[in-house]
Amino acid sequence: MCGIVGYVGGQSATPIIVEGLRKLEYRGYDSAGVAVIHGGQTQIRRAVGKLKNLDKLLLEQPLTGSLGIGHTRWATHGRPSEQNAHPHETDGITVVHNGIIENYLQLKQRLQEMGRKFKSETDTEIMAHLVATEMQGGKDFVTAVRSALSQVRGAYAFVILCQKEPDKIITAKNASPIVLGIGDDESFVASDIPALLAHTRKVVFLEDGQMAVLTKKEVTITTLKGEPVQFTPRHIDWSPVMAEKGGHKHFMHKEIFEQPTAIADTIRGRVLMEEARVHLDGMNLDVKSLRRLVIVACGTSYHSGLVGKFIIEAIARIPVEVDLASEFRYRSPVIDKETGILAISQSGETADTLAAIKEGKSLGASVFAVCNVIESSIARECLGSGGVLYTHAGPEIGVASTKAFTTQLVALYLLAIHFGRERGTLSKEKATEMLNHLRQIPQQIEGMLSREASLISIARRYSKARDFLYLGRGPNYPIALEGALKLKEISYIHAEGYSAGEMKHGPIALIDDKMPTVGIATSGPFYEKTVSNLEEVRAREGKLIIIATEGDSKIATIADDVFLVPKNDPLLDPILTVVPLQLIAYHIADLNGTDVDQPRNLAKSVTVE
Ligand code: M6R
């Protein structure tokens, strides 16, 4: 997501920091800033937009000094603006931060009651105030940071400077990455390796719950309690291109592997376990007066809308229609004030989806969005109406949507639980059970990703097929559509997704021993029916690759290949079953040598009709 670079040594810090941030540009950002301590003073420069704007500012108002930190921000709390750009400073404490502070509202309120004034809308600024407060109470910089960290809940990578102790940088992490670079009489810190490679290949990855103090001469690491941590630096021999992709061959592969973190970030801070409720920041929808919901979206986001219909109707008992955004606006839709229109969009810039919500708004509906990009056109269109629920997937660079899709599904599940609780269709007990199931998902996906080798073998066996059929039922029917879309868009192989029950009404005619069928038959209410549809494929000598649930010993008797997903609530299965389909599509495309990240004829953001 955001980029961090810090430097302490004998050289001028600013160019090292800005060049380091440039190496992290591929991650996407909306503003950037640098802070340097020189002559006992902290000086900060920040600019909205691309790094060239910061370059220009630094030319007009240069920063000298050999200790500093910098940041490129991808907004989560607070719109992109100079005021919200990092670094944030108060009383000589300067902070940059990646991640989300879950308890920031409580902390902010407490600090305001103590008379502290905030200059930004960010959660990050809280950390500067916490450290400053601790230091005013007599603590030194290191002890103050440690005690501030003990008050913060959530995901973070902090890098902090203190004007009173201008020889050091402190960094700490929990769930967001931090890598330390060790040079000769200089030390570096960054959120990712590419920022360091021009200066050193000797690095240390900070672990969760660790804190490091960097000076020109040395790097020391401790736990948050202050216990010393022994470490051995690693030598990184990645090329700069490999480093950008975190060692993965393609961004798509990297993004598939980022799903556990992206999902955890989307859930973080939104679940109130004690009340079994969901807190949705940024949503102003009058949930109780909603009579009907219309979801509008395109492509992969449309598929998450189809899963959303299933989840919201099951949990909140609100009738949901799902429309392709490009169809909705031209079919004279029946919309009134009691209809809510939900736009789903990763980019927030898809022209058809934007036009659909404008149309809905003009007909009197409340419009709201599930979106990944803060301040995007769709988000802005919804802010004054029903609001926006942001997925915290971070920038998605591969054209094929992966982590954006699974985080959309998580957002829709949270939305359904919120609707259900507000409208009284979901009991506290049932909601507790669902939220517990949801929280297992990141770990369950980690487990599946560690079994990638078996999906590579499947991809090898079928990479030369020219047509594929994907079948699923219930909430896995949209996953059949999504699996087929993933394969066709990156490998250019023809693939069709169908509801398994519809197969006998047409597509069954296609089946022969040359056409592989991917069936999704997880345990739950649709299992038996799906399996009998898949048996019909088998009876016609079709090749069967089946995604089933762990513990299903029977499925191997009809399948040529099986991949088992962990057991969870059947309503959550789509978040799990799509992962092997993403990897099968990815490996088939890679084996066929297509341009996985930028497939022909496709754009990441479709801003034309
Ligand atoms: O940014 P959006 O979610 O609005 O984009 C919608 C589609 O263009 C997008 O999902 C597209 O289908 C992807 N290439 C799918 O991988």
Side-chain angles (χ1 to χ4, degrees), residues 435-449:
L435 290 168
N436 279 327
H437 283 138
L438 184 64
R439 295 199 306 181
Q440 289 170 14
I441 293 278
Q443 219 184 345
Q444 292 187 321
I445 294 184
E446 288 280 7
M448 286 194 290
L449 294 174

Side-chain angles (χ1 to χ4, degrees), residues 298-301 345-347 350 399-401 485-486 489 606:
C298 303
T300 287
S301 297
S345 175
Q346 183 286 128
S347 62
T350 301
V399 163
S401 210
L485 176 63
K486 283 292 86 84
E489 71 178 330
V606 186

Side-chain angles (χ1 to χ4, degrees), residues 55-75:
D55 289 338
K56 190 163 166 271
L57 183 67
L58 286 165
L59 265 182
E60 290 157 11
Q61 301 170 35
L63 286 180
T64 41
S66 52
L67 174 136
I69 54 179
H71 189 265
T72 42
R73 174 174 188 251
W74 164 272

Side-chain angles (χ1 to χ4, degrees), residues 28 77 120 131-132 167 274 417 471 497 544:
H77 289 73
S120 74
V131 177
D167 61 331
E274 270 170 32
I417 293 178
L471 299 176
L544 270 178

